[in-house]
Amino acid sequence: MIEELLSIGETEASVKLQGMGFADGKGALKNLKLLSETPFSSHLESVVEGALLSPSPDGALNNLETIASGLSGSAITALMADPLNIERLLTVCGSSPFLSNILTRDAALFHWLFSGGLFETKDYPVFREELRVRTDSIADLDAMAKALRVYKQKEYLRIGTRDLVGLTNVEEVTMELSDLAGASLDCALEFSLKHHKGLYGSPFYKDEDGEAREAGVAVMGLGKLGGRELNFSSDIDIIYIYSTEKGETSGAPGKPETSLSLHAFFVKVSTMTGKLISSVTGDGFVFRVDLNLRPEGKSGEMANSLQSAEAYYESWGQSWERAAMIKARPVAGDLSLGEEFLSMIRPFVFRRYLDFTAIEEVKTMKEKIDLSLLRRNPDAIDVKLGAGGIREIEFFCQALQLIHAGKNPEVRERNTLNAIGKLKLKGFIKESEAAVLREGYVFLRNLEHRIQIVEGRQTQMIPPRPAELERLARMMGFRDIEGR
């Protein structure tokens, strides 16, 4: 059939391709002719079939043609070893120009993905070990930044492809993205500590017995990072906590004048860590970093000692910060120090008396978000911040935890889906309510992922254009009345 299409007149062939389901018959014909000159030439029937099943048949052919121009015959042979791979590849091509571009730029990633990488699952220890192998010998800042970004792109390709082709679920996707972020932060922090110790010496303080000890630093993840529920374009909300201000660095060897206060040292360490993760280079960025949840917000210190953090939360901590700290989790650096921080703020977060004032404050926060959204774009449908969206489910769970978790430690939970389950088990929500919340949350998070993976952009808006909306619907598993 395809050979026949390529041999007849352009107008007739274009009309037939449109009748098959391609919106742009001429464009589809052009791409097929180009593909006929690549190693895909003997698989064009499968290519067309897979493209028509994909979320965007025209996009699938166009992106495949671009990818194919850099592939060898052996790569195509390896791909076709699994009959399902051509459909998987075309699903990616018809869904995500972002992932397609990664495949276009690096043919080695194509071979890795379809020769086994697609079936890998990873957690924090695996990510951290792979990063260690890649970065342990790196001493240059720019080289470290590049290594982190290249690794992130590789893993986003794997995680995003697995998600699009149905080899995983939303819980696994969010956990892998969160663990990737934590491992990247830990790698960046380790590099920064090593770099600054070389300049200023090691950070020491004296314990209660007068013994010299090395001060540590922990990165605390909040928000979706803390709950292990990151999406493909999440900011990572973090704060830096170090052991104590009462000490100084030892100074570089032979240069005692280079000694710094512990506060100055850990501010420098934290600043470099953040730049390694969030600065935009020719290879993009690893994750966007948001420090606005730290004590005193935007005007606060880059890093805080345990003592200064304790003083802040005891004296000035607000209800919205209590809600934020429900999800707090040590994700990088000195994890035992992070746990010490959590123990310290637990009485602030989980009070043993009912605090309905906090609920009013959470409600006020939500109203401010709604008003901001309305002012920005009143006609937009935002699956995160809009009515009935992701944020409302999260706020609902956090409000119940603020009320009940002081007396009921069993409902202290960072992850939203797990929190819904624990609130149900304790009888704070009905089983039917929990089912509706869980189903809605999973659907909305899947929808959010599909929106973001198209271009790799930080958005939760339903696209208004008909072609983009149809692609999104098909990515979510919906088909039109013609069964496309």
Side-chain angles (χ1 to χ4, degrees):
M1 167 113 182
I2 303 305
E3 289 184 7
E4 179 186 343
L5 279 172
L6 296 178
S7 64
I8 61 178
E10 181 178 313
T11 300
E12 184 181 358
S14 298
V15 170
K16 286 190 175 183
L17 284 167
Q18 283 183 266
M20 293 168 65
F22 293 98
D24 179 6
K26 287 186 178 180
L29 180 62
K30 179 181 178 182
N31 282 318
L32 284 172
K33 286 182 176 180
L34 290 170
L35 284 166
S36 70
E37 299 172 2
T38 74
F40 277 108
S41 59
S42 58
H43 306 287
L44 291 184
E45 295 284 350
S46 297
V47 165
V48 170
E49 182 180 345
L52 291 171
L53 289 173
S54 78
S56 172
D58 296 84
L61 282 188
N62 194 50
N63 286 322
L64 180 65
E65 188 278 317
T66 304
I67 293 169
S69 62
L71 296 179
S72 64
S74 60
I76 306 301
T77 301
L79 173 80
M80 300 305 294
D82 184 340
L84 295 177
N85 273 347
I86 187 65
E87 183 177 334
R88 291 168 180 151
L89 174 58
L90 285 157
T91 295
V92 172
C93 291
S95 301
S96 175
F98 171 65
L99 296 182
S100 298
N101 286 338
I102 296 176
L103 288 171
T104 300
R105 291 195 301 269
D106 193 340
L109 287 183
F110 182 97
H111 184 270
W112 163 78
L113 184 69
F114 290 106
S115 63
L118 185 58
F119 299 98
E120 295 178 13
T121 58
K122 300 181 182 181
D123 57 10
Y124 180 92
V126 175
F127 286 128
R128 190 63 187 92
E129 180 57 28
E130 289 185 353
L131 279 168
R132 182 171 287 110
V133 169
R134 287 168 172 256
T135 63
D136 259 3
S137 61
I138 295 177
D140 178 71
L141 181 66
D142 291 339
M144 172 59 75
K146 182 178 183 65
L148 288 169
R149 283 152 180 74
V150 169
Y151 183 75
K152 177 252 186 163
Q153 286 187 1
K154 176 185 177 184
E155 292 308 313
Y156 259 46
L157 174 64
R158 178 185 61 81
I159 298 169
T161 301
R162 283 175 55 79
D163 191 23
L164 287 174
V165 303
L167 291 175
T168 186
N169 57 44
V170 69
E171 293 98 327
E172 188 172 82
V173 168
T174 56
M175 287 183 183
E176 284 206 59
L177 291 171
S178 302
D179 287 351
L180 172 61
S184 299
L185 278 165
D186 194 63
C187 185
L189 180 62
E190 183 177 80
F191 178 90
S192 183
L193 278 168
K194 183 177 180 180
H195 175 83
H196 286 94
K197 285 180 182 180
L199 294 175
Y200 307 108
S202 297
F204 287 109
Y205 70 99
K206 290 185 178 180
D207 64 16
E208 295 177 354
D209 299 322
E211 295 290 329
R213 294 188 179 276
E214 186 167 338
V217 59
V219 182
M220 304 300 300
L222 290 82
K224 285 184 167 59
L225 175 58
R228 291 184 79 201
E229 48 197 6
L230 283 184
N231 60 47
F232 282 104
S233 294
S234 287
D235 291 348
I236 53 173
D237 297 297
I238 60 174
I239 60 176
Y240 297 97
I241 299 292
Y242 61 93
S243 303
T244 178
E245 297 175 2
K246 298 177 181 179
E248 60 184 11
T249 66
S250 58
K255 298 180 179 180
E257 71 277 6
T258 61
S259 176
L260 289 179
S261 70
L262 293 191
H263 179 70
F265 177 79
F266 285 114
V267 165
K268 288 181 178 292
V269 167
S270 301
T271 300
M272 176 178 280
T273 301
K275 287 182 178 179
L276 277 169
I277 296 297
S278 64
S279 61
V280 179
T281 73
D283 298 295
F285 56 89
V286 189
F287 289 91
R288 300 178 189 87
V289 173
D290 190 335
L291 292 167
N292 291 340
L293 296 181
R294 68 188 187 271
E296 299 186 62
K298 292 180 180 179
S299 62
E301 295 284 357
M302 174 68 69
N304 289 268
S305 68
L306 275 176
Q307 298 96 317
S308 64
E310 182 176 29
Y312 173 81
Y313 290 116
E314 282 184 351
S315 302
W316 296 287
Q318 301 178 53
S319 293
W320 69 264
E321 289 173 301
R322 290 178 57 205
M325 287 298 165
I326 288 174
K327 290 181 176 288
R329 175 175 66 94
V331 296
D334 187 341
L335 301 185
S336 63
L337 175 63
E339 292 296 339
E340 187 177 350
F341 170 76
L342 291 181
S343 296
M344 183 191 76
I345 65 168
R346 194 165 290 130
F348 163 71
V349 180
F350 301 111
R351 296 175 180 171
R352 295 192 62 80
Y353 57 86
L354 295 180
D355 185 7
F356 290 98
T357 302
I359 310 311
E360 288 302 314
E361 294 185 8
V362 171
K363 180 181 176 182
T364 300
M365 287 171 56
K366 181 62 174 67
E367 289 172 348
K368 288 181 179 178
I369 292 172
D370 291 344
L371 184 59
S372 173
L373 184 66
L374 185 64
R375 287 173 176 168
R376 188 164 67 241
N377 191 344
D379 298 320
I381 302 175
D382 191 313
V383 303
K384 177 183 177 182
L385 303 179
I390 294 166
R391 182 58 58 83
E392 290 197 345
I393 298 174
E394 293 170 341
F395 272 9
F396 176 80
C397 293
Q398 289 169 356
L400 287 180
Q401 287 176 300
L402 287 176
I403 295 173
H404 298 293
K407 290 187 176 180
N408 297 271
E410 301 90 343
V411 298
R412 297 175 187 176
E413 173 59 53
R414 303 176 180 105
N415 182 275
T416 300
L417 286 175
N418 292 341
I420 291 170
K422 291 184 177 182
L423 289 166
K424 180 193 72 173
L425 287 175
K426 290 297 293 183
F428 296 127
I429 56 176
K430 299 176 183 177
E431 187 168 342
S432 59
E433 293 168 335
V436 169
L437 288 169
R438 179 179 177 83
E439 182 180 352
Y441 186 78
V442 168
F443 177 84
L444 290 170
R445 291 304 307 273
N446 274 319
L447 181 59
E448 178 185 50
H449 288 170
R450 301 300 183 274
I451 292 171
Q452 293 177 344
I453 203 65
V454 172
E455 297 288 355
R457 293 175 52 235
Q458 189 178 36
T459 178
Q460 293 87 20
M461 300 289 189
I462 298 287
R465 296 177 181 175
E468 294 175 353
L469 187 60
E470 180 181 353
R471 176 177 59 193
L472 177 61
R474 289 167 64 114
M475 288 171 72
M476 289 294 293
F478 298 103
R479 293 292 184 263
D480 63 21
I481 56 175
E482 296 177 352
R484 288 175 52 195

